[in-house]
Amino acid sequence: MRILIAVDMEGISGVVHWDHVTPGHAEYARFRRLMTHDVNAAIRGVFEAGADEVIVTDGHWDNRNILVEELDPRARLNSGGPSPLSMVQAVDMETSGVMFIGYHARAGTPNAILDHTWSDSRVANLWINGRLTGEIGLNAAVCGHFDVPVVMISGDQSACGEAVELLGAVEVAIVKRATGRLAAECLPPEAAQKKIQEAAARAVSRLRVGQAPSPFRVESPITVTIELVHSEMTDRATLLAGARRLEGKRIEFVAEDTPSAYRLFRAAVALAKG
Ligand SMILES: [Zn+2]
């Protein structure tokens, strides 16, 4: 049994501000260590429940946050980017299940630490087949293409709630209760990591007995609609082959499957930067 641990940073234990997750900021060094330790807690749970193999993928910012020298030696780490499948790099038909560690709610969610969708400065909203979708849904849909379910998530209560609403009964580890976008009641890492380890173990135990949630599948062809933050970003994103501009700040395109939709979405957001 092979588990992919896909990691973001906004939902890591103790994180409540961009300063905590932005390379170059004085506080960032503390939180990349906490990120690594949240991941190690998940790895302990996964092996404790009997999985054979763990791959970790660093999905935040430039994908170079996790401290490889402090990572559990039983795992392997996908670091750096861009990689073909970005935040879920390494997911394939041989993967048994995916865990989202340190994830955050989609743009516009109230009481959600650092809620955004892919790029806080460029993406106002994303719809997949007309449904508002954040990074949880987008990445889960790519995993679903390979028939792989998301089995666990850690983050604040809003991120965990979004995952359960969209994906079904995934195991959750709520490490903080957000009371705003930049405020939360946080568990200290020792307590948070115990919850992560336990949830990861429960998720693998359910996989072993065939009781994991179903893979998240999106019907093809896939219509992707993106609302950019400023209209000049939309001017640039519209240059993407196959994209057409809707009213105002939105573009839309159609993709044949979720990996293609993911690639085109990433390209549109990259173009928007200028
Ligand atoms: Zn992030």
Side-chain angles (χ1 to χ4, degrees):
M1 180 182 287
R2 179 197 294 169
I3 301 295
L4 171 63
I5 300 182
V7 193
D8 203 353
M9 196 165 186
E10 292 81 354
I12 290 299
S13 303
V15 167
V16 297
H17 196 276
W18 294 113
D19 291 354
H20 295 161
V21 300
T22 304
H25 195 279
E27 292 225 73
Y28 167 74
R30 287 172 58 211
F31 289 91
R32 69 189 300 199
R33 175 157 288 113
L34 286 172
M35 180 187 193
T36 308
H37 294 172
D38 277 12
V39 174
N40 281 342
I43 295 170
R44 284 195 298 277
V46 166
F47 280 115
E48 169 193 308
D52 309 297
E53 196 182 351
V54 171
I55 299 177
V56 176
T57 294
D58 190 333
H60 176 71
W61 200 273
D62 55 6
N63 316 91
R64 290 182 281 149
N65 309 280
I66 291 169
L67 297 167
V68 70
E69 64 272 32
E70 293 189 18
L71 193 64
D72 188 311
R74 294 171 291 182
R76 281 173 286 153
L77 175 65
N78 279 298
S79 182
S83 60
L85 289 176
S86 191
M87 296 180 75
V88 288
Q89 175 58 25
V91 70
D92 62 14
M93 307 291 280
E94 311 304 314
T95 308
S96 311
V98 176
M99 297 181 175
F100 288 165
I101 298 296
Y103 265 53
H104 55 83
R106 67 172 160 76
T109 308
N111 295 328
I113 291 298
L114 305 178
D115 63 293
H116 68 283
T117 299
W118 203 265
S119 166
D120 184 49
S121 58
R122 280 170 274 160
V123 178
N125 277 305
L126 164 69
W127 293 261
I128 294 181
N129 288 345
R131 181 176 189 162
L132 261 178
T133 302
E135 292 173 39
I136 291 168
L138 182 63
N139 288 305
V142 175
C143 298
H145 172 81
F146 297 96
D147 221 21
V148 181
V150 174
V151 296
M152 185 227 156
I153 181 169
S154 76
D156 65 19
Q157 83 282 16
S158 297
C160 293
E162 182 179 321
V164 169
E165 191 188 329
L166 193 66
L167 310 175
V170 301
E171 293 293 336
V172 303
I174 297 172
V175 301
K176 52 196 168 190
R177 293 215 169 257
T179 51
R181 191 181 198 216
L182 303 172
E185 185 178 281
C186 299
L187 287 175
E190 192 182 328
Q193 285 154 12
K194 183 167 182 284
K195 289 182 88 171
I196 292 170
Q197 180 174 344
E198 289 169 355
R202 286 196 305 272
V204 169
S205 299
R206 282 174 55 192
L207 262 176
R208 287 165 67 90
V209 296
Q211 292 190 345
S214 304
F216 180 58
R217 291 194 192 82
V218 175
E219 214 169 301
S220 295
I222 297 154
T223 302
V224 177
T225 313
I226 310 168
E227 181 180 352
L228 286 309
V229 170
H230 297 296
S231 44
E232 79 270 16
M233 296 174 176
T234 315
D235 294 343
R236 289 190 290 261
T238 308
L239 299 174
L240 185 74
R244 68 185 181 97
R245 188 168 191 156
L246 305 178
E247 81 292 343
K249 299 174 189 167
R250 296 185 195 189
I251 65 162
E252 192 166 278
F253 56 81
V254 175
E256 60 182 12
D257 55 27
T258 49
S260 309
Y262 197 45
R263 197 166 55 238
L264 290 166
F265 169 72
R266 292 166 64 199
V269 180
L271 276 173
K273 191 174 186 179

